Amino acid sequence: MDAPDLVLPAAHTSVLARAEAIAEQRYGMAAVASALPGERDHNIWLHVSGGPDAVLKMSHASEREELLLAEAALLEQVAPSGLCPRLIRTTDGAYSLGTANNWCA
């Protein structure tokens, strides 16, 4: 028996367009989006104009917001060690957009 394919198909162009709009509106970054693989989330590579590239994580709708915020808080504590990605907060200082979208760079 073949193993099930757990990786989401490549993000649809509408998801990529939404990611670009989120980058501009919520993070103040002009970026071109391209899809990365993911098991439950849409992971979007953002090629940022005039800055370092970043990754936008668009979590599955079934993920609980409090769990995602706890994950973000843990990443922020560990990131200075260089062992994990550094979170980039929104322009208003949030980890999340309320729909479980987080940046990782």
Coordinates of all heavy atoms in Angstrom, one line a residue:
M1 N 0.8 -1.2 0.0 CA 0.0 0.0 0.0 C 0.9 1.2 0.0 O 1.8 1.3 0.7 CB -0.9 0.0 1.2 CG -1.8 1.2 1.3 SD -2.8 1.4 2.8 CE -3.9 0.0 2.7
D2 N 0.5 2.2 -0.8 CA 1.3 3.4 -0.9 C 1.0 4.3 0.3 O -0.1 4.3 0.8 CB 1.0 4.2 -2.2 CG 1.5 3.5 -3.4 OD1 2.5 2.8 -3.3 OD2 0.8 3.6 -4.5
A3 N 2.0 5.1 0.7 CA 1.8 6.0 1.8 C 0.9 7.2 1.3 O 1.1 7.6 0.1 CB 3.1 6.6 2.3
P4 N 0.0 7.7 2.1 CA -0.8 8.9 1.6 C 0.1 10.1 1.4 O 1.1 10.3 2.1 CB -1.8 9.1 2.8 CG -1.1 8.5 4.0 CD -0.2 7.4 3.5
D5 N -0.3 10.9 0.4 CA 0.4 12.1 0.1 C -0.1 13.2 1.2 O -1.2 13.6 1.1 CB 0.1 12.6 -1.3 CG 0.9 13.8 -1.7 OD1 1.7 14.3 -0.9 OD2 0.6 14.4 -2.7
L6 N 0.8 13.6 2.1 CA 0.4 14.5 3.1 C 0.7 15.9 2.8 O 0.4 16.8 3.6 CB 1.1 14.1 4.5 CG 0.7 12.7 5.0 CD1 1.5 12.4 6.3 CD2 -0.7 12.6 5.3
V7 N 1.4 16.2 1.7 CA 1.8 17.5 1.4 C 0.7 18.2 0.5 O 0.1 17.6 -0.4 CB 3.1 17.5 0.6 CG1 3.5 18.9 0.1 CG2 4.2 16.9 1.4
L8 N 0.3 19.4 1.0 CA -0.7 20.1 0.2 C -0.3 20.4 -1.2 O 0.9 20.6 -1.5 CB -1.0 21.5 0.9 CG -1.7 21.5 2.2 CD1 -1.7 22.9 2.8 CD2 -3.1 21.0 2.1
P9 N -1.2 20.4 -2.1 CA -0.8 20.9 -3.5 C -0.3 22.3 -3.4 O -0.6 23.0 -2.5 CB -2.1 20.7 -4.3 CG -3.2 20.7 -3.3 CD -2.6 20.2 -2.0
A10 N 0.4 22.7 -4.5 CA 0.9 24.1 -4.5 C -0.2 25.1 -4.3 O -1.3 24.9 -4.8 CB 1.6 24.3 -5.9
A11 N 0.1 26.2 -3.7 CA -0.9 27.2 -3.4 C -1.5 27.7 -4.7 O -0.7 28.0 -5.7 CB -0.3 28.3 -2.6
H12 N -2.7 27.9 -4.7 CA -3.5 28.5 -5.9 C -3.0 30.0 -6.0 O -2.7 30.6 -5.1 CB -5.0 28.4 -5.6 CG -5.8 28.7 -6.7 ND1 -6.2 30.0 -7.0 CD2 -6.3 27.9 -7.7 CE1 -6.9 30.0 -8.1 NE2 -7.0 28.8 -8.5
T13 N -3.1 30.4 -7.2 CA -2.7 31.8 -7.5 C -3.5 32.8 -6.6 O -2.9 33.9 -6.3 CB -2.9 32.2 -9.0 OG1 -4.2 31.9 -9.4 CG2 -1.9 31.4 -9.8
S14 N -4.7 32.5 -6.3 CA -5.5 33.4 -5.4 C -4.9 33.5 -4.0 O -4.9 34.6 -3.3 CB -6.9 33.1 -5.3 OG -7.1 31.8 -4.7
V15 N -4.3 32.4 -3.5 CA -3.6 32.3 -2.2 C -2.3 33.2 -2.3 O -2.0 33.9 -1.4 CB -3.3 30.9 -1.8 CG1 -2.5 30.9 -0.5 CG2 -4.6 30.1 -1.6
L16 N -1.6 33.0 -3.4 CA -0.4 33.8 -3.6 C -0.7 35.3 -3.6 O 0.0 36.1 -3.0 CB 0.4 33.3 -4.8 CG 0.8 31.9 -4.8 CD1 1.5 31.5 -6.1 CD2 1.7 31.6 -3.6
A17 N -1.7 35.7 -4.3 CA -2.1 37.1 -4.4 C -2.5 37.6 -3.0 O -2.2 38.7 -2.6 CB -3.3 37.3 -5.4
R18 N -3.2 36.8 -2.3 CA -3.6 37.2 -0.9 C -2.4 37.4 0.0 O -2.3 38.3 0.8 CB -4.5 36.1 -0.3 CG -5.0 36.5 1.1 CD -6.1 35.6 1.6 NE -6.5 36.0 2.9 CZ -6.4 35.2 4.0 NH1 -6.0 34.0 3.9 NH2 -6.7 35.7 5.2
A19 N -1.4 36.5 -0.2 CA -0.2 36.6 0.6 C 0.6 37.9 0.3 O 1.1 38.5 1.2 CB 0.7 35.4 0.3
E20 N 0.6 38.2 -1.0 CA 1.3 39.5 -1.4 C 0.5 40.7 -0.8 O 1.2 41.6 -0.3 CB 1.3 39.6 -2.9 CG 2.3 38.6 -3.5 CD 2.3 38.5 -5.0 OE1 1.4 39.2 -5.7 OE2 3.1 37.8 -5.6
A21 N -0.8 40.6 -0.8 CA -1.6 41.7 -0.2 C -1.3 41.8 1.3 O -1.2 42.9 1.9 CB -3.1 41.5 -0.5
I22 N -1.3 40.7 2.0 CA -1.0 40.7 3.4 C 0.4 41.3 3.7 O 0.6 42.1 4.6 CB -1.1 39.2 4.0 CG1 -2.6 38.8 4.0 CG2 -0.5 39.1 5.4 CD1 -2.8 37.3 4.3
A23 N 1.4 40.9 2.9 CA 2.7 41.4 3.1 C 2.7 42.9 3.0 O 3.3 43.6 3.9 CB 3.7 40.8 2.0
E24 N 2.0 43.5 2.1 CA 2.0 44.9 1.9 C 1.2 45.6 2.9 O 1.6 46.6 3.6 CB 1.4 45.2 0.5 CG 1.3 46.7 0.2 CD 2.7 47.3 -0.1 OE1 3.6 46.7 -0.6 OE2 2.9 48.5 0.3
Q25 N 0.0 45.1 3.2 CA -1.0 45.8 4.1 C -0.6 45.6 5.5 O -0.8 46.6 6.3 CB -2.4 45.3 3.8 CG -2.9 45.7 2.4 CD -4.1 44.9 2.0 OE1 -4.7 44.2 2.8 NE2 -4.6 45.1 0.8
R26 N -0.2 44.5 5.9 CA 0.0 44.2 7.4 C 1.5 44.2 7.8 O 1.7 44.3 9.0 CB -0.6 42.8 7.7 CG -2.1 42.7 7.5 CD -2.9 43.8 8.3 NE -2.7 43.7 9.7 CZ -3.4 43.0 10.5 NH1 -4.4 42.3 10.1 NH2 -3.2 43.1 11.8
Y27 N 2.4 44.1 6.9 CA 3.8 44.1 7.2 C 4.6 45.2 6.6 O 5.8 45.4 6.8 CB 4.4 42.7 6.9 CG 3.8 41.6 7.8 CD1 2.7 40.9 7.3 CD2 4.3 41.3 9.0 CE1 2.1 39.9 8.1 CE2 3.8 40.4 9.8 CZ 2.7 39.7 9.4 OH 2.1 38.7 10.1
G28 N 4.0 46.0 5.7 CA 4.6 47.1 5.0 C 5.8 46.6 4.1 O 6.7 47.3 3.9
M29 N 5.6 45.4 3.5 CA 6.6 44.8 2.6 C 6.1 44.6 1.2 O 5.0 43.9 1.1 CB 7.1 43.5 3.2 CG 7.8 43.6 4.5 SD 8.2 41.9 5.0 CE 9.0 42.3 6.6
A30 N 6.7 45.1 0.2 CA 6.4 44.8 -1.2 C 7.1 43.4 -1.5 O 8.3 43.3 -1.3 CB 6.8 45.8 -2.1
A31 N 6.3 42.4 -1.9 CA 6.9 41.1 -2.1 C 6.2 40.4 -3.2 O 5.0 40.6 -3.6 CB 6.8 40.3 -0.8
V32 N 6.9 39.4 -3.8 CA 6.4 38.5 -4.8 C 6.3 37.1 -4.1 O 7.3 36.7 -3.6 CB 7.2 38.5 -6.1 CG1 6.7 37.4 -7.0 CG2 7.3 39.8 -6.7
A33 N 5.1 36.5 -4.2 CA 4.9 35.2 -3.4 C 5.1 34.0 -4.3 O 4.8 34.1 -5.5 CB 3.5 35.2 -2.9
S34 N 5.7 33.0 -3.8 CA 5.7 31.7 -4.4 C 5.5 30.6 -3.4 O 5.8 30.8 -2.2 CB 7.1 31.4 -5.1 OG 8.2 31.5 -4.2
A35 N 4.9 29.5 -3.8 CA 4.5 28.4 -2.9 C 5.6 27.6 -2.4 O 6.5 27.3 -3.2 CB 3.4 27.6 -3.6
L36 N 5.6 27.2 -1.1 CA 6.4 26.2 -0.6 C 5.6 25.0 -0.1 O 4.4 25.2 0.1 CB 7.2 26.7 0.7 CG 8.1 27.9 0.4 CD1 8.6 28.5 1.8 CD2 9.3 27.3 -0.3
P37 N 6.1 23.8 0.0 CA 5.3 22.6 0.4 C 4.9 22.8 1.9 O 5.5 23.5 2.7 CB 6.2 21.4 0.2 CG 7.6 22.0 0.2 CD 7.5 23.4 -0.3
G38 N 3.8 22.1 2.3 CA 3.3 22.1 3.6 C 2.4 21.0 3.8 O 1.6 20.6 2.9
E39 N 2.3 20.5 5.0 CA 1.4 19.3 5.3 C 0.0 19.8 5.6 O -0.9 19.3 5.0 CB 1.9 18.6 6.6 CG 1.1 17.4 6.9 CD 1.6 16.7 8.1 OE1 2.7 16.9 8.6 OE2 0.8 15.9 8.7
R40 N -0.2 20.8 6.4 CA -1.5 21.3 6.8 C -1.7 22.8 6.5 O -2.8 23.3 6.4 CB -1.8 21.1 8.2 CG -2.0 19.6 8.6 CD -2.3 19.4 10.0 NE -3.3 20.3 10.6 CZ -4.6 20.0 10.6 NH1 -5.1 18.9 10.0 NH2 -5.5 20.8 11.2
D41 N -0.6 23.5 6.3 CA -0.6 24.9 6.2 C -0.2 25.3 4.7 O 0.5 24.5 4.1 CB 0.5 25.6 7.1 CG 0.3 25.2 8.6 OD1 -0.9 25.0 9.0 OD2 1.3 25.0 9.3
H42 N -0.5 26.5 4.4 CA 0.1 27.1 3.1 C 1.3 27.8 3.6 O 1.2 28.7 4.4 CB -0.9 28.0 2.4 CG -1.9 27.3 1.7 ND1 -1.7 26.5 0.6 CD2 -3.3 27.3 1.8 CE1 -2.8 26.0 0.2 NE2 -3.8 26.4 0.9
N43 N 2.5 27.5 3.1 CA 3.7 28.2 3.4 C 4.1 28.9 2.1 O 4.2 28.3 1.1 CB 4.8 27.2 3.8 CG 4.4 26.4 5.1 OD1 4.2 27.0 6.1 ND2 4.2 25.1 5.0
I44 N 4.3 30.2 2.3 CA 4.5 31.1 1.1 C 5.8 31.8 1.3 O 6.1 32.5 2.3 CB 3.4 32.2 1.0 CG1 2.0 31.6 1.1 CG2 3.5 33.0 -0.2 CD1 1.6 30.6 0.1
W45 N 6.7 31.6 0.3 CA 8.0 32.3 0.3 C 7.7 33.7 -0.3 O 7.2 33.8 -1.4 CB 9.0 31.6 -0.6 CG 10.4 32.1 -0.6 CD1 10.8 33.4 -0.5 CD2 11.6 31.3 -0.6 NE1 12.1 33.5 -0.5 CE2 12.6 32.3 -0.6 CE3 11.8 30.0 -0.7 CZ2 14.0 31.8 -0.6 CZ3 13.2 29.6 -0.7 CH2 14.2 30.5 -0.7
L46 N 8.1 34.7 0.4 CA 7.9 36.1 0.0 C 9.3 36.7 -0.4 O 10.2 36.8 0.4 CB 7.3 36.9 1.1 CG 5.8 36.5 1.4 CD1 5.4 37.1 2.7 CD2 4.9 36.9 0.2
H47 N 9.4 37.0 -1.7 CA 10.7 37.6 -2.2 C 10.4 39.1 -2.0 O 9.7 39.7 -2.8 CB 10.9 37.2 -3.6 CG 10.8 35.7 -3.9 ND1 11.9 34.9 -3.7 CD2 9.8 34.9 -4.2 CE1 11.6 33.7 -3.9 NE2 10.3 33.6 -4.3
V48 N 11.0 39.6 -0.9 CA 10.8 41.0 -0.5 C 11.7 42.0 -1.3 O 12.9 41.8 -1.3 CB 11.0 41.1 1.0 CG1 10.7 42.6 1.5 CG2 10.1 40.2 1.8
S49 N 11.0 43.0 -1.8 CA 11.8 44.0 -2.5 C 12.5 44.9 -1.5 O 12.0 45.5 -0.6 CB 10.8 44.9 -3.3 OG 11.5 46.0 -3.9
G50 N 13.9 45.0 -1.7 CA 14.7 45.8 -0.8 C 14.9 45.3 0.6 O 15.3 46.0 1.4
G51 N 14.7 44.0 0.8 CA 14.9 43.5 2.2 C 15.1 42.0 2.1 O 15.0 41.4 1.0
P52 N 15.3 41.4 3.2 CA 15.5 39.9 3.3 C 14.2 39.2 3.0 O 13.1 39.7 3.3 CB 15.9 39.6 4.7 CG 15.5 40.8 5.5 CD 15.4 42.0 4.6
D53 N 14.2 38.1 2.3 CA 13.1 37.3 2.0 C 12.4 36.8 3.4 O 13.1 36.8 4.4 CB 13.4 36.0 1.2 CG 13.7 36.4 -0.3 OD1 13.5 37.6 -0.6 OD2 14.1 35.5 -1.0
A54 N 11.2 36.4 3.3 CA 10.4 35.9 4.5 C 9.5 34.8 4.1 O 9.3 34.6 2.9 CB 9.7 37.1 5.1
V55 N 9.0 34.1 5.0 CA 8.0 33.1 4.8 C 6.7 33.4 5.6 O 6.8 33.7 6.8 CB 8.5 31.7 5.3 CG1 7.4 30.6 5.2 CG2 9.7 31.3 4.5
L56 N 5.6 33.4 4.9 CA 4.3 33.6 5.5 C 3.6 32.2 5.7 O 3.5 31.4 4.8 CB 3.4 34.4 4.6 CG 2.0 34.7 5.1 CD1 2.0 35.5 6.4 CD2 1.2 35.4 4.0
K57 N 3.3 31.9 6.9 CA 2.6 30.7 7.3 C 1.1 31.0 7.4 O 0.6 31.8 8.2 CB 3.1 30.1 8.6 CG 2.3 28.9 9.1 CD 2.8 28.5 10.4 CE 2.0 27.4 11.0 NZ 2.4 27.0 12.3
M58 N 0.3 30.4 6.5 CA -1.2 30.5 6.5 C -1.7 29.2 7.1 O -1.8 28.2 6.4 CB -1.7 30.8 5.1 CG -1.1 32.1 4.6 SD -1.6 32.5 2.9 CE -3.2 33.2 3.2
S59 N -2.0 29.2 8.4 CA -2.4 27.9 9.0 C -3.7 27.4 8.6 O -4.6 28.2 8.2 CB -2.4 28.2 10.6 OG -1.1 28.5 11.0
H60 N -3.9 26.1 8.7 CA -5.1 25.4 8.4 C -6.2 26.0 9.3 O -6.0 26.3 10.5 CB -4.9 23.9 8.7 CG -6.1 23.1 8.2 ND1 -7.2 22.8 8.9 CD2 -6.2 22.5 7.0 CE1 -8.0 22.1 8.2 NE2 -7.5 21.8 7.1
A61 N -7.4 26.1 8.8 CA -8.5 26.7 9.5 C -8.9 26.0 10.8 O -9.4 26.5 11.7 CB -9.7 26.8 8.6
S62 N -8.5 24.7 10.9 CA -8.9 23.9 12.1 C -7.9 24.1 13.3 O -8.1 23.7 14.4 CB -8.9 22.4 11.8 OG -7.7 21.9 11.4
E63 N -6.8 24.8 13.0 CA -5.8 25.1 14.1 C -6.4 26.1 15.1 O -7.0 27.1 14.7 CB -4.5 25.6 13.5 CG -3.8 24.6 12.6 CD -3.3 23.4 13.3 OE1 -3.1 23.4 14.5 OE2 -3.0 22.4 12.5
R64 N -6.2 25.8 16.4 CA -6.7 26.7 17.4 C -5.7 27.9 17.5 O -4.5 27.7 17.6 CB -6.8 26.0 18.7 CG -7.9 24.9 18.7 CD -8.1 24.2 19.9 NE -7.5 24.7 21.1 CZ -7.0 24.0 22.1 NH1 -6.9 22.7 22.0 NH2 -6.5 24.6 23.1
E65 N -6.3 29.1 17.6 CA -5.5 30.3 17.7 C -4.6 30.3 18.9 O -3.4 30.7 18.8 CB -6.4 31.5 17.7 CG -5.7 32.9 17.7 CD -5.1 33.3 16.4 OE1 -5.4 32.6 15.4 OE2 -4.4 34.3 16.4
E66 N -5.1 29.9 20.1 CA -4.2 29.9 21.3 C -3.0 29.0 21.1 O -1.9 29.3 21.6 CB -5.0 29.6 22.5 CG -5.7 28.3 22.5 CD -7.2 28.3 22.0 OE1 -7.6 29.3 21.3 OE2 -7.9 27.3 22.2
L67 N -3.1 27.9 20.4 CA -2.0 27.0 20.2 C -1.0 27.7 19.3 O 0.2 27.6 19.5 CB -2.5 25.7 19.6 CG -1.4 24.6 19.4 CD1 -0.7 24.2 20.7 CD2 -2.0 23.4 18.7
L68 N -1.5 28.3 18.2 CA -0.6 29.0 17.3 C 0.1 30.2 18.0 O 1.3 30.4 17.8 CB -1.3 29.5 16.1 CG -1.9 28.4 15.2 CD1 -2.9 28.9 14.2 CD2 -0.8 27.6 14.5
L69 N -0.5 30.9 18.9 CA 0.1 32.0 19.6 C 1.1 31.4 20.6 O 2.2 32.1 20.8 CB -1.0 32.8 20.3 CG -1.8 33.7 19.4 CD1 -2.9 34.3 20.2 CD2 -1.0 34.7 18.6
A70 N 0.9 30.3 21.2 CA 1.9 29.7 22.1 C 3.1 29.3 21.3 O 4.2 29.4 21.7 CB 1.3 28.5 22.8
E71 N 2.9 28.7 20.1 CA 4.0 28.3 19.2 C 4.8 29.6 18.9 O 6.1 29.5 18.9 CB 3.4 27.7 18.0 CG 4.5 27.2 17.0 CD 3.8 26.7 15.7 OE1 3.5 25.5 15.7 OE2 3.6 27.4 14.7
A72 N 4.1 30.6 18.5 CA 4.8 31.9 18.2 C 5.7 32.4 19.4 O 6.8 32.9 19.2 CB 3.8 32.9 17.7
A73 N 5.1 32.4 20.6 CA 5.8 32.9 21.7 C 7.0 32.0 22.0 O 8.1 32.5 22.4 CB 4.9 32.8 23.0
L74 N 6.9 30.7 21.8 CA 8.1 29.8 22.0 C 9.2 30.1 20.9 O 10.3 30.2 21.3 CB 7.6 28.4 21.9 CG 8.8 27.3 22.0 CD1 9.4 27.4 23.4 CD2 8.2 25.9 21.8
L75 N 8.8 30.3 19.7 CA 9.7 30.6 18.6 C 10.4 31.9 19.0 O 11.6 32.1 18.7 CB 9.0 30.7 17.3 CG 8.6 29.4 16.6 CD1 7.8 29.7 15.4 CD2 9.9 28.6 16.3
E76 N 9.7 32.9 19.5 CA 10.3 34.2 19.8 C 11.4 34.0 20.9 O 12.4 34.7 20.9 CB 9.3 35.2 20.2 CG 9.9 36.6 20.3 CD 8.9 37.7 20.2 OE1 8.3 38.0 21.3 OE2 8.7 38.3 19.2
Q77 N 11.1 33.2 21.8 CA 12.1 32.9 22.9 C 13.4 32.2 22.4 O 14.5 32.5 22.9 CB 11.4 32.1 24.1 CG 10.4 32.8 24.8 CD 10.9 34.1 25.5 OE1 11.9 34.0 26.2 NE2 10.3 35.2 25.4
V78 N 13.2 31.3 21.5 CA 14.3 30.4 21.0 C 15.1 31.1 19.9 O 16.3 30.8 19.7 CB 13.8 29.0 20.6 CG1 14.9 28.2 20.1 CG2 13.1 28.3 21.8
A79 N 14.4 31.9 19.1 CA 15.0 32.5 17.9 C 16.4 33.2 18.1 O 17.3 33.0 17.3 CB 14.1 33.5 17.2
P80 N 16.6 33.9 19.2 CA 18.0 34.5 19.4 C 19.1 33.5 19.4 O 20.2 33.8 19.1 CB 17.9 35.2 20.7 CG 16.4 35.5 20.9 CD 15.7 34.3 20.3
S81 N 18.8 32.2 19.6 CA 19.9 31.2 19.6 C 20.2 30.8 18.2 O 21.3 30.1 18.0 CB 19.4 29.9 20.3 OG 18.3 29.3 19.6
G82 N 19.4 31.2 17.2 CA 19.7 30.8 15.8 C 19.2 29.4 15.5 O 19.4 29.0 14.4
L83 N 18.5 28.8 16.4 CA 18.0 27.4 16.1 C 16.7 27.3 15.4 O 16.3 26.2 15.1 CB 17.9 26.6 17.5 CG 19.3 26.5 18.2 CD1 19.0 25.8 19.6 CD2 20.2 25.6 17.4
C84 N 16.0 28.4 15.3 CA 14.7 28.4 14.6 C 14.5 29.8 13.9 O 15.3 30.7 14.2 CB 13.6 28.1 15.6 SG 13.3 29.5 16.8
P85 N 13.5 29.9 13.1 CA 13.2 31.2 12.4 C 12.8 32.3 13.4 O 12.3 32.0 14.5 CB 12.0 30.9 11.5 CG 11.9 29.4 11.4 CD 12.5 28.9 12.7
R86 N 13.1 33.5 13.0 CA 12.7 34.7 13.8 C 11.3 35.2 13.3 O 11.1 35.3 12.1 CB 13.8 35.8 13.6 CG 13.5 37.1 14.3 CD 14.6 38.1 14.0 NE 14.7 38.4 12.5 CZ 13.9 39.3 11.9 NH1 13.0 40.0 12.6 NH2 14.1 39.6 10.6
L87 N 10.4 35.4 14.2 CA 9.1 35.9 13.8 C 9.2 37.4 13.5 O 9.9 38.1 14.2 CB 8.1 35.7 14.9 CG 7.7 34.3 15.2 CD1 6.7 34.2 16.3 CD2 7.1 33.6 14.0
I88 N 8.4 37.8 12.5 CA 8.3 39.2 12.2 C 6.9 39.6 12.6 O 5.9 39.1 12.1 CB 8.6 39.5 10.7 CG1 10.0 39.0 10.4 CG2 8.4 41.0 10.4 CD1 10.3 39.1 8.9
R89 N 6.7 40.6 13.4 CA 5.4 41.0 13.8 C 4.8 42.0 12.8 O 5.5 42.5 12.0 CB 5.5 41.8 15.2 CG 5.9 40.9 16.3 CD 6.0 41.7 17.6 NE 6.4 40.9 18.7 CZ 5.7 40.6 19.8 NH1 4.5 41.0 19.8 NH2 6.2 39.9 20.7
T90 N 3.5 42.1 12.8 CA 2.8 43.0 12.0 C 3.2 44.4 12.3 O 3.8 44.7 13.3 CB 1.2 42.8 12.1 OG1 0.9 43.2 13.4 CG2 0.8 41.4 11.8
T91 N 2.7 45.3 11.5 CA 3.1 46.7 11.7 C 2.5 47.3 13.0 O 2.9 48.2 13.6 CB 2.6 47.6 10.6 OG1 1.2 47.4 10.3 CG2 3.4 47.4 9.3
D92 N 1.4 46.6 13.5 CA 0.8 47.0 14.8 C 1.3 46.1 16.0 O 0.8 46.2 17.1 CB -0.7 47.0 14.8 CG -1.3 45.6 14.5 OD1 -0.6 44.6 14.3 OD2 -2.6 45.6 14.5
G93 N 2.4 45.3 15.7 CA 3.0 44.5 16.8 C 2.5 43.2 17.1 O 2.9 42.5 18.0
A94 N 1.5 42.7 16.3 CA 0.9 41.4 16.6 C 1.7 40.2 16.0 O 2.5 40.4 15.0 CB -0.5 41.4 16.0
Y95 N 1.6 39.0 16.6 CA 2.1 37.8 16.0 C 1.3 37.3 14.9 O 1.7 36.6 14.0 CB 2.2 36.7 17.0 CG 3.2 36.8 18.1 CD1 2.8 36.7 19.4 CD2 4.5 36.9 17.8 CE1 3.7 36.7 20.4 CE2 5.5 36.9 18.8 CZ 5.1 36.8 20.1 OH 6.0 36.8 21.1
S96 N 0.0 37.5 15.0 CA -1.0 36.9 14.1 C -2.0 37.9 13.6 O -2.2 39.0 14.2 CB -1.7 35.8 14.9 OG -2.8 35.3 14.2
L97 N -2.6 37.6 12.5 CA -3.6 38.4 11.9 C -5.0 38.1 12.3 O -5.9 38.6 11.8 CB -3.5 38.3 10.3 CG -2.2 38.7 9.7 CD1 -2.3 38.5 8.2 CD2 -1.8 40.1 10.0
G98 N -5.1 37.2 13.3 CA -6.4 36.8 13.8 C -6.9 35.6 13.0 O -7.9 35.0 13.4
T99 N -6.3 35.4 11.9 CA -6.7 34.2 11.1 C -5.6 33.2 11.0 O -5.4 32.4 10.1 CB -7.2 34.6 9.7 OG1 -6.1 35.3 9.1 CG2 -8.4 35.4 9.7
A100 N -4.7 33.3 12.0 CA -3.6 32.4 12.2 C -2.5 32.5 11.1 O -2.0 31.5 10.6 CB -4.1 30.9 12.3
N101 N -2.3 33.7 10.6 CA -1.2 33.9 9.6 C 0.0 34.5 10.4 O -0.1 35.5 11.0 CB -1.6 34.9 8.6 CG -2.8 34.4 7.7 OD1 -2.6 33.4 7.1 ND2 -3.9 35.1 7.8
N102 N 1.1 33.8 10.3 CA 2.3 34.3 11.0 C 3.5 34.3 10.0 O 3.6 33.5 9.1 CB 2.8 33.3 12.1 CG 1.8 33.3 13.2 OD1 1.3 34.3 13.7 ND2 1.4 32.1 13.7
W103 N 4.3 35.3 10.2 CA 5.5 35.4 9.4 C 6.7 34.7 10.1 O 6.9 34.8 11.3 CB 6.0 36.9 9.3 CG 5.3 37.7 8.3 CD1 4.1 38.3 8.5 CD2 5.7 38.0 7.0 NE1 3.7 39.0 7.4 CE2 4.7 38.8 6.4 CE3 6.8 37.6 6.2 CZ2 4.8 39.3 5.1 CZ3 6.9 38.1 5.0 CH2 5.9 38.9 4.4
C104 N 7.5 34.1 9.3 CA 8.8 33.6 9.8 C 9.8 34.0 8.8 O 9.6 33.9 7.6 CB 8.8 32.0 9.9 SG 7.6 31.4 11.1
A105 N 11.0 34.4 9.2 CA 12.0 34.8 8.3 C 13.2 33.9 8.5 O 13.4 33.3 9.4 CB 12.4 36.3 8.5

